[in-house]
Amino acid sequence: MYQASLKISSEHLYDEETRDKITSIVDAKIAMRDGNLYISYVEEAITQDGEEVPIEDNVDIQTTIKISSGSVKITKSGENVPVRRLEFSLDKPYESLMYTPMGNFTMMVFTKHLENTLDAFGNGSLHLEYDTRLNGLHTNSSKLKISYLEER
């Protein structure tokens, strides 16, 4: 297992005028197992549109990313927070559930771009671009980039 600081940047475009940019710097554990790269970290605070924002209700979010040949799976969980799973593959869309106070919704993830050069030492980067649809309606287009900052 290897430890490194990673920069996680995401951008979500909801319509022509509404956009969120979120960045966090995390201390991650990185390991290669059975040909898959695993990245694990805890999100404690994020920067949204240039301002630091604490994670909802001061709950630390545990994130695990599994990178396989041609696919990426992201799982987020925390105390009193429903488990969230997103899967990305250029070959097919993935279905997931989105939990909200107003109920659960079926969410489809359509991957447009997936490029990974991350290695077991955290060198390189992961780029994802994808669209999401809730109950069949387009909700947003997103970009996610994970890049190496420094060894820990």
Side-chain angles (χ1 to χ4, degrees):
M1 186 170 311
Y2 191 77
Q3 292 191 319
S5 288
L6 300 177
K7 180 178 181 180
I8 314 223
S9 303
S10 63
E11 182 175 356
H12 307 281
L13 180 62
Y14 301 99
D15 56 42
E16 293 300 319
E17 298 176 11
T18 310
R19 175 185 313 249
D20 283 336
K21 292 183 179 183
I22 300 170
T23 303
S24 47
I25 307 297
V26 298
D27 291 326
K29 294 177 184 172
I30 304 168
M32 184 71 79
R33 287 193 307 261
D34 300 324
N36 301 307
L37 183 66
Y38 290 85
I39 301 170
S40 180
Y41 58 87
V42 174
E43 292 181 54
E44 296 172 347
I46 59 174
T47 301
Q48 184 170 0
D49 297 323
E51 294 185 32
E52 189 163 307
V53 178
I55 299 296
E56 42 191 272
D57 299 325
N58 295 321
V59 174
D60 291 343
I61 305 293
Q62 176 68 47
T63 301
T64 302
I65 301 171
K66 177 184 176 185
I67 303 171
S68 304
S69 177
S71 69
V72 175
K73 295 179 183 179
I74 300 176
T75 304
K76 294 178 176 265
S77 61
E79 189 176 328
N80 300 319
V81 176
V83 173
R84 293 175 277 186
R85 289 185 182 88
L86 291 174
E87 294 188 38
F88 306 91
S89 174
L90 290 173
D91 297 338
K92 64 178 184 173
Y94 280 96
E95 185 176 297
S96 185
L97 277 179
M98 181 171 188
Y99 302 94
T100 73
M102 295 170 281
N104 301 337
F105 297 96
T106 301
M107 181 172 70
M108 296 297 295
V109 178
F110 298 87
T111 306
K112 299 188 300 188
H113 179 79
L114 189 160
E115 179 183 354
N116 177 50
T117 60
L118 279 171
D119 63 21
F121 303 105
N123 298 308
S125 62
L126 170 68
H127 295 262
L128 290 171
E129 292 184 24
Y130 59 96
D131 288 337
T132 57
R133 293 188 182 132
L134 286 178
N135 291 342
L137 301 173
H138 182 268
T139 55
N140 69 4
S141 296
S142 299
K143 295 179 183 180
L144 174 70
K145 181 179 180 183
I146 299 174
S147 53
Y148 174 79
L149 280 180
E150 63 186 41
E151 182 179 339
R152 282 284 169 199

